């Protein structure tokens, strides 16, 4: 479990299915994205170093790539999805019950003379105006932050 | 609670007040009489604001919180109680031409 405040050492009664991702890895190592077989099949033990190297590079690459084009074909059935959702929410409900209720933070003491503090002069209008202006500048600056797209997030491999 | 509220009654331009504890509203009057909703909002705002700290300081860096509308809510905390006073905002906005 990777959520906040969870302890990492609760390995008892682990459901093996629990760690199965909702969307399975679209291209397991044994099946390359373009459908051709890896050269590992039926290669005699006298395989050259070069081939071995190539195979290992291919394996590594395949493990590092998420093939989004293949994701559609491995979509779950509706009922499977519902089952998973139910299973996860039951698990969460059980876990959240066992969490200690975090006590609301005690109120700080801001003053020992509340009446005096509350009765004192209001914040001058010019101060309020200044704060509003600064906030407006900050808002304007933040709204101008943009993502500068440099390259494609999804790349096409030129596989012949 | 009489001692708590006597001072609040005398605040100039006050339109109403609330005294709130962790368990709920202890006292209320004027435009804030029995205003549980405002009490809840104020409590949440005080909790949020009191989490702010300046570097190297362990206490919240303010004594009073002011919420400005056409009127002003002034809020402070003392002895585990939140005091809210609604006051008239007599400061005139300068007319810009």
């Amino acid at each position: 479990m990777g959520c906040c405040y969870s302890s990492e050492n609760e390995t008892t009664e682990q459901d093996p299915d629990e760690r199965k991702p909702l969307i399975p890895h679209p291209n397991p190592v044994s099946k390359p994205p373009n459908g051709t077989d890896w050269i590992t099949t039926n290669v005699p033990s006298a395989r050259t170093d070069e081939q071995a190297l190539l195979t290992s590079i291919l394996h590594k690459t395949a493990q590092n790539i998420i093939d989004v084009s293949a994701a559609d074909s491995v979509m779950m059935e509706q009922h499977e999805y519902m089952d998973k959702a139910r299973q996860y929410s039951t698990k969460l409900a059980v876990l959240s019950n066992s969490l200690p209720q975090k006590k609301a933070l005690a109120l700080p003491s801001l003053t020992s003379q509340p009446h005096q503090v509350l009765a004192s002069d209001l914040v001058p209008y010019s101060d309020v105006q200044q704060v509003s202006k600064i906030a407006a500048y900050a808002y304007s600056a933040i709204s101008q932050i943009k993502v500068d797209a440099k390259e494609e997030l999804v790349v096409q491999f030129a596989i012949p | 609670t009489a001692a708590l509220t006597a001072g609040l009654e005398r605040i100039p331009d006050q339109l109403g007040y609330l005294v709130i504890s962790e368990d709920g509203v202890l006292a209320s009057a004027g435009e804030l009489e029995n205003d549980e909703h405002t009490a809840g909002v104020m409590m949440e705002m005080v909790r949020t604001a009191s989490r702010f700290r300046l570097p190297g300081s362990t206490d919240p860096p303010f004594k009073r919180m002011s919420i400005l509308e056409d009127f002003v809510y002034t809020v402070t905390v003392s002895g585990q109680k939140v005091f809210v006073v609604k006051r008239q905002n007599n400061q005139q906005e300068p007319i810009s031409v």
Side-chain angles (χ1 to χ4, degrees):
Chain A
M1 294 284 136
C3 56
C4 300
Y5 305 114
S6 71
S7 53
E8 295 284 342
N9 44 13
E10 281 179 273
T11 43
T12 47
E13 55 140 22
Q14 281 283 356
D15 184 351
D17 206 32
E18 186 180 291
R19 280 169 188 274
K20 213 169 89 187
L22 280 175
I23 300 174
H25 197 287
N27 51 332
V29 191
S30 58
K31 193 173 160 287
N34 61 354
T36 58
D37 287 333
W38 295 116
I39 19 169
T40 49
T41 48
N42 297 327
V43 175
S45 56
R47 173 172 60 182
T48 65
D49 285 350
E50 201 182 336
Q51 273 180 315
L53 199 62
L54 182 64
T55 311
S56 81
I57 291 171
L58 280 172
H59 273 261
K60 266 187 209 157
T61 313
Q63 274 175 323
N64 288 332
I65 289 172
I66 298 172
D67 185 1
V68 288
S69 65
D72 285 342
S73 58
V74 291
M75 274 312 201
M76 277 191 297
E77 295 285 326
Q78 177 78 6
H79 69 91
E80 252 186 293
Y81 175 79
M82 298 302 278
D83 282 350
K84 280 274 184 197
R86 213 173 2 251
Q87 193 190 336
Y88 283 180
S89 41
T90 320
K91 203 86 184 172
L92 275 175
V94 171
L95 285 174
S96 61
N97 279 340
S98 64
L99 280 175
Q101 283 299 313
K102 214 173 163 190
K103 203 186 170 297
L105 239 71
L107 288 164
S109 196
L110 301 182
T111 176
S112 54
Q113 291 146 322
H115 303 129
Q116 209 175 312
V117 166
L118 292 171
S120 58
D121 288 348
L122 296 176
V123 183
Y125 182 74
S126 58
D127 286 8
V128 175
Q129 215 172 18
Q130 193 178 5
V131 170
S132 304
K133 209 157 74 182
I134 293 166
Y137 282 146
Y139 176 78
S140 155
I142 288 168
S143 65
Q144 287 172 49
I145 296 175
K146 278 189 228 125
V147 174
D148 194 1
K150 287 281 189 198
E151 55 189 75
E152 296 289 329
L153 196 60
V154 176
V155 291
Q156 291 288 337
F157 281 110
I159 300 167
Chain B
T1 54
L4 285 176
T5 58
L8 298 176
E9 302 270 7
R10 286 196 296 272
I11 290 173
D13 305 325
Q14 68 98 0
L15 301 169
Y17 61 79
L18 282 165
V19 183
I20 320 159
S21 79
E22 299 273 3
D23 305 318
V25 178
L26 296 178
S28 67
E31 292 182 18
L32 295 179
E33 191 164 10
N34 298 324
D35 195 341
E36 300 274 349
H37 174 72
T38 302
V41 173
M42 291 298 167
M43 203 65 171
E44 203 54 45
M45 287 180 82
V46 166
R47 284 192 190 287
T48 305
S50 60
R51 282 201 291 266
F52 291 119
R53 292 289 184 280
L54 290 176
S57 165
T58 51
D59 299 320
F62 64 96
K63 282 187 182 173
R64 186 177 78 175
M65 182 169 79
S66 300
I67 300 143
L68 290 94
E69 295 183 45
D70 297 333
F71 37 79
V72 185
Y73 292 105
T74 57
V75 187
T76 193
V77 189
S78 184
Q80 295 297 301
K81 283 181 278 291
V82 176
F83 294 80
V84 183
V85 176
K86 185 174 177 177
R87 293 172 64 180
Q88 258 161 15
N89 192 0
N90 290 324
Q91 305 182 81
Q92 283 305 305
E93 195 171 326
I95 300 153
S96 54
V97 187

